[in-house]
Amino acid sequence: MTSDLLAPLDLAFWNIESADHPMHLGALGVFSAHSPTAGAHAADLLAARAAAVPGLRMRIRDVWRPLGAGRPLAAGLGRPLAFGGAAREPDPGFDPLHHVRLHAPAADFQAVAGRLMQRPLQRNRPPWETHVLPGEDGVSFAVLFKFHHALADGLRALTLAAAIMDPMDMPAPRPRPAEPPRGLLPDVRKLPGLLRGALSDVGRALDIGAAVARSTLATRSTPALTAEPTGTRRTAGVVVDIDDVHLVRKAVGGTVNDVLIAVVAGALRRWLDERGDGSEGVAPRALIPVSRRRPRTAHPQGNRLSGYLIELPVGDPDPLRRLGAVRTAMDRNKDAGPNRGAGAVALLADHVPALGHRLGGPLVGQAARLWFDILVTSVPLPSLGLKLGGHPLTAVFPFAPLARGQSLAIAISTYRGSVHYGLVADAKAVPDLGRLAAAVSEEVEALITVCGR
């Protein structure tokens, strides 16, 4: 494999994190076990299979010399020069045993996962890890996958994780089109086109930036969801029957995603009231990531994200009104498109030079709380059942990166008839994360009750 320059948003993720505030994503898969040694066997399989997956051999290396970087300024008209970028390249010293680790038997998979999620990935090696946790009950084990966003976004991470599971029938990935070699300077014959493309890029960046600024002028942070970062992590998981979600959706309209977001709003209300913070008048800003990945893109590994920003109606005591408010806000965002609102801030990454990401990344990371209070994201999973060493995957809880200054992030996946909520929080700011997880289940029951099961 050859070197692969990071896309602008990947480079932003790489530079935002710090040693005391990691920004990797994760997923905790729980498997049924046929024997107490199933976990150890799974660790051996993962190490052996990882060695054969080219994408798992890629490390991130800083690039300081001028190279073609970023996306084209205009289609087919070359690339700008970039300094201070980074590239994926094969690690000549790759050893899967550095990345696959077997742990002692655990009684609580989520408790161990939280401690492991707070450990940063090693930046001088391929930025991913797999931790195998045998269950003390002898009939289950769990596997925690950790990936850095610069190596893979949620969809790409899923593809890499599936590659080290038992073989299954999945569509073959599309081959990446070869690109002609480029010189350090653009062809002078293309300069007029390059100039037009650059001016168009500047215009789009100013338009997006103005939309972001307008969206944040009147915003205020929600204290319970924002805190000084400690680098500690706690995780929790909730399983909801997808049939219950469809029951609510059919009764009141909207989409499945509307219902799942409204459940988050109701759970936050219960949690805030029980811990004494109070929910009256609370409307935290939730960032809902939107994938802009296009089929047959020339850069399938690069993150292509925008987002919608909505105010969660936590202060409203009526569950149906909360769902109606979420539905209205999401419809408004969809009508406006992903280039409007504070959620579009990710699009600005495409318009920032590589050196700007390196120098400004830490500042951007600290400013996340100015744009939103909580991340609520959906992670796609295959509908087919996954297995490892013949042991079926029974549950999978996705974990989103936790932005600096924020206490909580929620990721949601649907797998084989169940919705899985994965909650990750700053352990010191949210010591009662388990109570919030219970509130998610309670909110689903409340919606079913008002909809008349």
Side-chain angles (χ1 to χ4, degrees):
M1 297 183 68
T2 58
S3 295
D4 174 25
L5 204 68
L6 293 190
L9 190 54
D10 297 328
L11 186 60
F13 278 119
W14 187 245
N15 286 296
I16 283 175
E17 80 164 5
S18 63
D20 60 350
H21 191 87
M23 286 286 291
H24 49 257
L25 54 90
L28 180 68
V30 180
F31 298 79
S32 63
H34 301 156
S35 72
T37 61
H41 177 57
D44 291 339
L45 281 177
L46 291 171
R49 292 172 179 175
V53 180
L56 295 177
R57 306 177 66 93
M58 304 297 282
R59 67 180 180 182
I60 310 298
R61 182 175 63 87
D62 291 335
V63 176
W64 288 96
R65 61 183 184 275
L67 286 172
R71 62 181 181 80
L73 287 175
L77 295 177
R79 298 175 182 270
L81 299 182
F83 295 83
R88 301 181 192 89
E89 67 173 14
D91 181 2
F94 175 71
D95 183 350
L97 296 180
H98 288 310
H99 301 266
V100 180
R101 301 167 190 175
L102 177 65
H103 294 259
D108 183 344
F109 295 143
Q110 291 286 355
V112 179
R115 293 193 293 270
L116 293 173
M117 283 294 291
Q118 72 188 36
R119 299 181 186 176
L121 295 167
Q122 296 187 53
R123 291 170 69 93
N124 62 335
R125 289 177 174 162
W128 66 273
E129 291 176 355
T130 296
H131 299 268
V132 181
L133 315 174
E136 284 187 350
D137 56 13
V139 295
S140 66
F141 66 91
V143 178
L144 175 66
F145 295 95
K146 293 169 55 179
F147 288 91
H148 198 287
H149 246 296
L151 178 69
D153 62 3
L155 186 59
R156 178 64 178 169
L158 170 63
T159 302
L160 292 174
I164 52 179
M165 305 288 280
D166 290 355
M168 58 184 295
D169 294 329
M170 293 186 70
R174 296 182 181 274
R176 185 171 187 171
E179 294 189 2
R182 302 181 185 272
L184 295 181
L185 296 175
D187 189 329
V188 294
R189 294 170 295 181
K190 298 179 179 178
L191 286 178
L194 286 171
L195 180 58
R196 286 194 298 272
L199 292 175
S200 176
D201 269 14
V202 170
R204 283 193 294 271
L206 290 175
D207 187 39
I208 294 169
V212 171
R214 288 194 298 270
S215 298
T216 55
L217 284 177
T219 58
R220 296 290 185 271
S221 294
T222 301
L225 298 177
T226 55
E228 290 303 316
T230 67
T232 59
R233 294 290 181 269
R234 188 182 304 273
T235 66
V238 186
V239 180
V240 174
D241 192 326
I242 189 63
D243 289 340
D244 291 340
V245 178
H246 283 301
L247 185 152
V248 175
R249 178 189 62 80
K250 291 176 181 177
V252 300
T255 67
V256 167
N257 203 40
D258 294 340
V259 177
L260 298 178
I261 295 171
V263 166
V264 171
L268 288 173
R269 176 182 175 82
R270 295 170 182 271
W271 175 66
L272 289 172
D273 285 343
E274 289 185 10
R275 74 194 324 240
D277 290 329
S279 61
E280 184 177 356
V282 173
R285 299 155 298 168
L287 178 64
I288 316 295
V290 177
S291 175
R292 299 178 67 249
R293 185 189 298 275
R294 293 177 299 201
R296 302 181 182 179
T297 177
H299 295 278
Q301 290 181 313
N303 282 296
R304 297 290 298 161
L305 293 174
S306 181
Y308 297 144
L309 190 78
I310 71 170
E311 290 188 352
L312 296 178
V314 171
D316 194 322
D318 185 276
L320 290 184
R321 284 204 305 264
R322 287 196 296 267
L323 177 52
V326 167
R327 180 182 177 185
T328 299
M330 289 298 289
D331 287 345
R332 187 185 306 118
N333 273 290
K334 293 170 186 175
D335 289 341
N339 290 348
R340 291 292 185 270
V345 68
L347 299 179
L348 292 175
D350 287 350
H351 306 277
V352 176
L355 188 58
H357 284 297
R358 180 176 297 278
L359 298 177
L363 294 177
V364 171
Q366 294 179 33
R369 70 173 72 182
L370 299 178
W371 291 313
F372 60 97
D373 298 307
I374 182 173
L375 177 72
V376 182
T377 183
S378 295
V379 181
L381 290 178
S383 58
L384 299 175
L386 297 173
K387 294 183 178 181
L388 180 57
H391 304 284
L393 176 66
T394 59
V396 56
F397 303 98
F399 299 133
L402 189 60
R404 180 179 292 275
Q406 295 177 337
S407 303
L408 177 68
I410 298 177
I412 310 169
S413 286
T414 301
Y415 176 69
R416 295 183 67 78
S418 295
V419 177
H420 295 78
Y421 283 83
L423 288 64
V424 60
D426 186 291
K428 293 186 178 180
V430 188
D432 55 345
L433 186 63
R435 183 64 208 108
L436 176 59
V440 170
S441 298
E442 293 166 3
E443 182 62 17
V444 173
E445 289 298 322
L447 281 169
I448 292 173
T449 299
V450 297
C451 290
R453 187 196 293 265

